[in-house]
Amino acid sequence: MKRIVLFASGSGSNVENIADYFKDNPNVTISAVLTNKRDAKVLERCDRLKINALYFNKTAFLESDCVLNILKALQPDLIVLAGFLWKIPDALIFHFSDKIINIHPALLPKYGGKGMYGMKVHETILQNKEKETGITIHYVNQNYDEGAIIHQAKTSIAPSDTAESIAEKVHALEYEHFPKIIESLLNG
Ligand code: GAR
């Protein structure tokens, strides 16, 4: 059995899409979803889908070994950041080296780094009149959005696009590619 632990801070539509993708796969389980936002919509999704979900605060994540110890107990094959907005502490990266991946809603190395998340990314891309955008799935290292790239997918931007319509196109790419990449990493 391969075990996935997901981290999310927001809506969790990627979490739900990944859960849906693996629901009939007897070899893959979502051990838990962890969130740093006590009012995140992802928690409602986990209730509905009957997925284990835990909230943690900064003390548990940054000032103690609490989250690290929970992860050690869960023994994940892959830790997946799906819209998770805090920087991962070094101790976690050290302990789970090459087992933590992130999805970023742009074509890294462009439009990455601290503060670049969610709609902020799409608004900046629109202002800069980019002709294309996309997604980047990458390993997580000590620096925001700088780990080795695993996979990218592109979509074009039309003159009529808004930040919202770009977000929709990017989400569609995420739903299509992220579960498949997770599956291929789990299969080695
Ligand atoms: C996704 O578009 C993901 O790429 C982005 O947050 C969104 C979460 O959506 N992640 C980042 O911006 C990380 N820097 P969701 O909660 O509906 O899955």
Side-chain angles (χ1 to χ4, degrees):
M1 177 67 83
K2 299 285 187 186
R3 289 179 290 271
I4 305 172
V5 171
L6 289 144
F7 280 70
S9 302
S11 162
S13 70
N14 275 285
V15 167
E16 180 156 1
N17 180 59
I18 292 162
D20 189 54
Y21 184 87
F22 288 110
K23 71 175 187 303
D24 296 322
N25 185 333
N27 303 315
V28 176
T29 187
I30 296 176
S31 303
V33 173
L34 274 60
T35 185
N36 63 322
K37 286 267 190 283
R38 73 181 85 210
D39 57 352
K41 194 175 161 197
V42 69
L43 289 172
E44 290 168 31
R45 293 185 197 263
C46 290
D47 287 350
R48 175 164 46 78
L49 299 167
K50 299 201 181 300
I51 296 171
N52 298 327
L54 298 169
Y55 158 78
F56 58 84
N57 63 11
K58 273 203 166 115
T59 309
F61 195 55
L62 299 175
E63 293 154 25
S64 74
D65 288 339
C66 183
V67 171
L68 176 64
N69 287 334
I70 287 168
L71 288 173
K72 282 183 187 169
L74 292 171
Q75 296 188 309
D77 294 283
L78 202 60
I79 296 171
V80 177
L81 312 186
F84 182 69
L85 302 183
W86 282 356
K87 193 165 180 291
I88 302 297
D90 290 354
L92 253 69
I93 291 169
F94 178 76
H95 197 88
F96 296 100
S97 60
D98 291 337
K99 283 192 178 173
I100 312 178
I101 65 167
N102 179 46
I103 191 158
H104 187 78
L107 295 169
L108 292 174
K110 287 177 116 179
Y111 303 107
K114 194 166 163 49
M116 270 294 175
Y117 59 85
M119 289 308 290
K120 181 80 198 301
V121 176
H122 309 310
E123 280 157 11
T124 310
I125 284 170
L126 193 68
Q127 277 162 17
N128 290 355
K129 303 194 189 322
E130 292 284 356
K131 298 275 185 292
E132 63 177 15
T133 185
I135 60 165
T136 304
I137 299 165
H138 64 94
Y139 286 105
V140 173
N141 68 10
Q142 274 114 327
N143 302 320
Y144 269 112
D145 301 327
E146 286 184 17
I149 291 174
I150 301 163
H151 184 77
Q152 291 187 306
K154 291 179 183 176
T155 183
S156 58
I157 299 175
S160 57
D161 268 318
T162 61
E164 285 73 23
S165 67
I166 293 172
E168 269 178 39
K169 287 180 178 180
V170 166
H171 261 124
L173 284 180
E174 294 182 334
Y175 302 152
E176 183 190 344
H177 291 266
F178 206 14
K180 289 182 192 157
I181 295 297
I182 292 168
E183 187 172 41
S184 73
L185 291 172
L186 289 173
N187 290 334

